[in-house]
Amino acid sequence: MQNQLIECVPNYSEGRRPEVIEAIVEPFRRRPGCILLDHRADQDHNRLVISLVGQPEPIQAALLESARVAVERIDLEQHRGGHPRIGAVDVIPFIPIQNIDMEACVKIAREFGKRFHKETGVPVYFYEEAALRPERRNLEVIRKGQFEALKTEISRPERHPDVGEPEVHPKAGATVIGARKFLIAFNVNLGTSDLKVAREIAKAVRSSSGGLCHVKGIGLALEERGLTQVSMNIVDYEKNALYRVVEMIRMEAKRWGVALVETEVYGMIPAAALLDSVAYYMQLAGFERKQVIELALLEMMGKDEEK
Amino acid sequence: MQNQLIECVPNYSEGRRPEVIEAIVEPFRRRPGCILLDHRADQDHNRLVISLVGQPEPIQAALLESARVAVERIDLEQHRGGHPRIGAVDVIPFIPIQNIDMEACVKIAREFGKRFHKETGVPVYFYEEAALRPERRNLEVIRKGQFEALKTEISRPERHPDVGEPEVHPKAGATVIGARKFLIAFNVNLGTSDLKVAREIAKAVRSSSGGLCHVKGIGLALEERGLTQVSMNIVDYEKNALYRVVEMIRMEAKRWGVALVETEVYGMIPAAALLDSVAYYMQLAGFERKQVIELALLEMMGKDEEK
C-alpha cells in the first residue's frame, strides 16, 4: 500500500492556560507517523488550533489521547472567548493530502467519531463531507447558539447528535468531526488604494456573488502600503485552481487599469495546488508529481516503513 | 541539525549481466536513509545508471558496498559498450538537494574519494565542482581515450590521478568522483514542422552560441507529430530559471509567428525549480518552501530521526 497522508486541524476551547495547552499538544509531539506542523493558541478567542500531518492511524490515536486531556481539563461552563464553540474539543476535520481520497477521509471521520464518543462520552456531530444530514455540512448550523443554547436544544430531534445520546457532556459539550478539502488562504494585492476596486473584484471572483464556485473573498485596504487586497479562501483548489483565480482577477483589474502587484499564500499549501498552476503557466505536458524528487522521496519513505 | 538531502547518480560499466546488475544495486535497496529512486541498465551502452536520494552518510556507506561488488565482478579488459568509460565504477556525482550547499557536497566528494580509493585500490579523479585542476571540471577531459588509453597515459603527470598512485586498477580502471548541480532535462515543443526555426531558437537560448549561460540545447524534429522541439539541459536551474528559458523561447518564436505547444520535464526535477517558476508567474511574494505541506513534512521527518 502506498504512503497515505492526511492533514488534521483539531480545534480546542483553551487558549489561555499554558499548562493545559501543553498537555493537549503533548500527545502529538512524539508519536511516530504523526507530525505536529504547528499550534497556535489565541487568548482572545480562548482557542487552540493544532496542525497535524501524517498517517491516519497514528493521528487518530494521538487525537484520542489529546481529547481525554481536553475533556478532563476544560469546563465549558467556565469558558469565555471570542470564537464560537460547542465543545472542549470543538472541531476535528480530516483532510486528504496524498494517496487518499475524500471518500476514505469521510470513512475515517465517521469511524473516528464513534471511537471518540466511546472513549470520551462526548456526543458527536458530523460536518462537511462527512455530514449525515445535508444541513450539517455547514459547521455554523451545528454550532448555532453555541454550548449555552445546545445544552437544552440538543433534546430537539433536529439537533440530536449523530453519535451518542441527545445530551451534552456536562463540561465538554459536544464535538464536530468531519472531512473537508484543504483550504488555501490566498491574497492578491492590487496597485490601487481605491477600496471600491478591490471590493468589486472580490465580488466578481467569489461564489456568493456569482463568481467561481469554491472561492470566498472580500476586498480590504492595505493602508500603510497604499494598496488594496482581494483576500480569499480557496475552498476547493482542485476545482478552482490558483492560476484561474489569479488570471480572473488580472482580467477584472484591467477594467480599472489596475495592475496585480503580488500574491500571497498565507499558511500551508499542498504541493498539488502549486504543481497545477506551474503546469498551466509553463504548459507542462504529461508531468507527474513523482517527478519531483522530494515528493518521490516522501512516497518511498512511506513504503520503507512497511517493509 | 536539519535533514540534509543529496542526490547521487553513480554510473557503472555493466549493462548486460542481470545478476551482476542486481548485486551492484542491492546495497542501495535496504539501507535506511538511502532511497533508490531508479536504476536503468542499457545493453548497448553496457552501462548502469542508479539514482539515489537521501542523507549523505548512508548513501556513501552503500556506495562503498556497491563499489566493492563492481570492482570484483567487472573486468574492463573484457568490457565493450557504446558509452565512454574509464572505470568499473565510472562516475559518482554528489548533488545538493535540501539543507546542504555545493561547498558541503564538494567536501563530501573529496573525502569520499579518499575512502573509495582506500577501500578499493582504484585511483580517483575529481571533476566538476570538486575538481582540483581546472581542466578536470570537464568529465570528457578526464575520460579522454577511455580505459584503453588511460592505462599507459596515467603515468604522464598531466593525467596523474588526484588520489592514488599513477596506475590504473588492472580490472576496474579509475573512477571519477565529483559534485555538481542538479541537471534538468527540459524540452519545449514548437507549433511548426520547420526544423530551421527550432535550430535558430536553440542557438539563441544556449550558452555555446551566446544565449543563457547554463543552458545546453539543440533543435530536433518530432516528425510523427509534425512539430519541432528545442531539447535542453538546464545545467544550473538556480541561475537559469525554467520560466526564463520558457519566456525567452516564446519571445524568439514570435519572430517566426510560431507558438509554444507544450513543454516537458524529462525525468526528475527538484521542487525548488518548480517553486521558483510558480512564484514568478503567480507573482508570489514572501513564499517559503516550508509552506508546502509535503516539504515541511519531509523536513520534520528528518528531525524526528535525530531524536
Side-chain angles (χ1 to χ4, degrees):
Chain A
M1 201 172 73
Q2 288 173 302
N3 190 20
Q4 290 188 324
L5 291 180
I6 59 170
E7 202 202 15
C8 185
V9 189
N11 286 229
Y12 301 82
S13 295
E14 177 57 66
R16 294 178 187 163
R17 293 173 296 167
E19 72 286 1
V20 178
I21 292 168
E22 180 49 33
I24 291 170
V25 171
E26 208 278 329
F28 301 112
R29 288 192 192 280
R30 293 189 180 267
R31 185 173 292 260
C34 169
I35 307 266
L36 175 66
L37 284 180
D38 189 26
H39 67 286
R40 283 150 291 166
D42 186 304
Q43 296 214 346
D44 293 334
H45 287 180
N46 201 3
R47 191 173 181 86
L48 170 67
V49 180
I50 298 180
S51 289
L52 307 168
V53 65
Q55 292 158 339
E57 187 41 47
I59 285 183
Q60 291 175 75
L63 281 170
L64 289 176
E65 242 191 88
S66 166
R68 281 190 289 268
V69 176
V71 168
E72 192 189 309
R73 305 197 53 180
I74 296 172
D75 181 358
L76 283 190
E77 294 286 358
Q78 311 300 322
H79 179 272
R80 299 289 174 276
H83 197 287
R85 83 285 178 265
I86 57 169
V89 184
D90 193 49
V91 190
I92 305 179
F94 293 96
I95 301 145
I97 298 288
Q98 181 185 282
N99 294 326
I100 187 164
D101 60 11
M102 183 55 76
E103 202 183 338
C105 279
V106 166
K107 194 159 171 259
I108 289 170
R110 293 201 184 135
E111 287 172 5
F112 179 75
K114 288 176 203 152
R115 279 169 78 183
F116 180 90
H117 171 68
K118 200 172 162 194
E119 297 228 10
T120 61
V122 175
V124 168
Y125 295 87
F126 293 122
Y127 85 123
E128 293 249 358
E129 302 289 325
L132 293 171
R133 306 187 189 187
E135 71 277 14
R136 290 190 183 169
R137 292 181 73 88
N138 185 341
L139 179 60
E140 294 324 313
V141 167
I142 301 171
R143 269 200 312 220
K144 194 180 172 200
Q146 301 191 50
F147 173 69
E148 288 71 16
L150 189 65
K151 277 194 286 186
T152 54
E153 292 181 11
I154 195 169
S155 61
R156 288 159 48 185
E158 72 272 20
R159 298 208 74 174
H160 279 189
D162 294 306
V163 185
E165 297 303 308
E167 51 194 52
V168 299
H169 183 287
K171 289 163 63 188
T175 296
V176 190
I177 295 174
R180 61 165 171 82
K181 299 247 181 160
F182 191 92
L183 282 187
I184 299 173
F186 185 59
N187 303 324
V188 175
N189 296 343
L190 303 171
T192 177
S193 58
D194 185 351
L195 184 54
K196 180 174 166 288
V197 171
R199 285 185 172 153
E200 286 296 320
I201 294 176
K203 261 200 245 174
V205 81
R206 74 186 170 210
S207 61
S208 66
S209 43
L212 294 166
C213 280
H214 305 281
V215 174
K216 298 178 182 180
I218 53 170
L220 297 173
L222 302 180
E223 281 175 20
E224 286 183 15
R225 298 182 63 191
L227 303 177
T228 48
Q229 178 177 85
V230 182
S231 176
M232 291 168 287
N233 271 315
I234 314 295
V235 177
D236 187 337
Y237 67 84
E238 289 174 313
K239 292 195 180 126
N240 289 175
L242 289 183
Y243 71 82
R244 201 173 299 141
V245 174
V246 171
E247 295 309 321
M248 192 166 160
I249 291 176
R250 199 189 303 282
M251 180 190 73
E252 294 294 329
K254 273 187 193 164
R255 176 178 187 158
W256 288 278
V258 166
L260 264 63
V261 173
E262 64 194 14
T263 70
E264 299 169 350
V265 172
Y266 184 81
M268 307 297 286
I269 185 168
L274 292 172
L275 295 182
D276 200 26
S277 284
V278 81
Y280 169 79
Y281 285 112
M282 288 186 37
Q283 298 173 250
L284 272 173
F287 188 75
E288 295 181 48
R289 65 184 271 139
K290 68 179 180 199
Q291 287 179 260
V292 181
I293 298 176
E294 289 89 342
L295 301 182
L297 181 60
L298 199 58
E299 186 108 348
M300 300 260 180
M301 285 169 94
K303 281 182 190 162
D304 257 22
E305 278 161 27
E306 286 152 25
K307 276 179 193 165
Chain B
M1 201 171 72
Q2 290 173 299
N3 189 19
Q4 290 187 325
L5 291 179
I6 59 170
E7 199 202 16
C8 184
V9 189
N11 286 230
Y12 301 80
S13 296
E14 177 57 66
R16 294 176 188 165
R17 293 174 294 168
E19 72 287 1
V20 178
I21 291 168
E22 180 49 35
I24 291 170
V25 171
E26 208 278 330
F28 301 114
R29 287 195 193 279
R30 293 192 178 263
R31 185 172 292 261
C34 169
I35 307 268
L36 175 65
L37 284 183
D38 189 25
H39 68 286
R40 282 149 294 168
D42 186 304
Q43 295 213 346
D44 294 334
H45 286 179
N46 201 2
R47 192 176 180 85
L48 170 67
V49 180
I50 298 179
S51 291
L52 308 167
V53 65
Q55 291 158 340
E57 187 43 45
I59 285 183
Q60 291 176 76
L63 280 170
L64 289 176
E65 243 190 89
S66 166
R68 280 190 291 267
V69 175
V71 168
E72 192 188 309
R73 305 195 56 179
I74 297 171
D75 181 359
L76 284 190
E77 295 287 356
Q78 312 299 323
H79 179 272
R80 299 289 175 273
H83 197 288
R85 82 286 179 262
I86 56 169
V89 185
D90 194 48
V91 189
I92 305 178
F94 294 97
I95 301 145
I97 298 289
Q98 180 185 282
N99 294 327
I100 187 164
D101 61 11
M102 184 53 75
E103 201 183 340
C105 279
V106 166
K107 193 157 171 263
I108 289 170
R110 293 200 184 136
E111 287 172 5
F112 179 75
K114 288 177 202 153
R115 278 168 79 182
F116 179 91
H117 171 69
K118 201 171 161 191
E119 298 227 9
T120 61
V122 174
V124 168
Y125 295 86
F126 293 122
Y127 85 124
E128 293 249 358
E129 301 289 325
L132 293 171
R133 305 186 191 188
E135 69 278 14
R136 292 191 181 169
R137 292 181 74 89
N138 186 340
L139 179 59
E140 294 324 313
V141 168
I142 300 170
R143 272 201 307 220
K144 196 180 171 199
Q146 301 191 50
F147 173 68
E148 289 71 14
L150 189 64
K151 279 195 285 187
T152 54
E153 291 182 11
I154 195 169
S155 62
R156 287 159 47 186
E158 71 272 21
R159 300 207 73 177
H160 279 187
D162 294 308
V163 184
E165 295 303 307
E167 52 195 51
V168 299
H169 184 286
K171 290 161 63 189
T175 296
V176 190
I177 295 173
R180 62 164 171 81
K181 299 247 181 159
F182 191 91
L183 283 186
I184 299 174
F186 185 60
N187 302 324
V188 175
N189 295 344
L190 303 172
T192 178
S193 58
D194 185 350
L195 185 55
K196 181 177 166 284
V197 171
R199 286 185 171 152
E200 286 295 320
I201 293 176
K203 260 200 245 175
V205 80
R206 74 185 170 213
S207 61
S208 66
S209 43
L212 293 166
C213 281
H214 305 281
V215 173
K216 297 178 181 180
I218 53 170
L220 296 174
L222 302 180
E223 281 175 19
E224 286 183 15
R225 298 183 62 191
L227 303 177
T228 48
Q229 179 177 83
V230 183
S231 175
M232 291 168 286
N233 271 313
I234 315 295
V235 177
D236 186 336
Y237 66 84
E238 289 174 312
K239 291 196 180 125
N240 289 174
L242 288 183
Y243 71 82
R244 202 174 298 141
V245 174
V246 171
E247 295 308 321
M248 192 166 161
I249 290 177
R250 198 188 304 280
M251 179 189 75
E252 295 293 329
K254 273 188 195 163
R255 176 176 185 160
W256 288 279
V258 167
L260 264 62
V261 172
E262 64 193 16
T263 70
E264 298 169 351
V265 172
Y266 184 81
M268 307 297 288
I269 185 168
L274 292 172
L275 295 182
D276 200 25
S277 284
V278 80
Y280 169 79
Y281 285 112
M282 287 186 38
Q283 299 174 249
L284 271 173
F287 188 74
E288 294 181 48
R289 67 183 271 137
K290 68 178 182 204
Q291 287 180 260
V292 181
I293 299 176
E294 290 89 342
L295 301 181
L297 180 59
L298 199 58
E299 185 108 348
M300 301 260 182
M301 285 169 95
K303 280 183 192 159
D304 257 21
E305 279 163 26
E306 286 152 24
K307 272 178 194 165

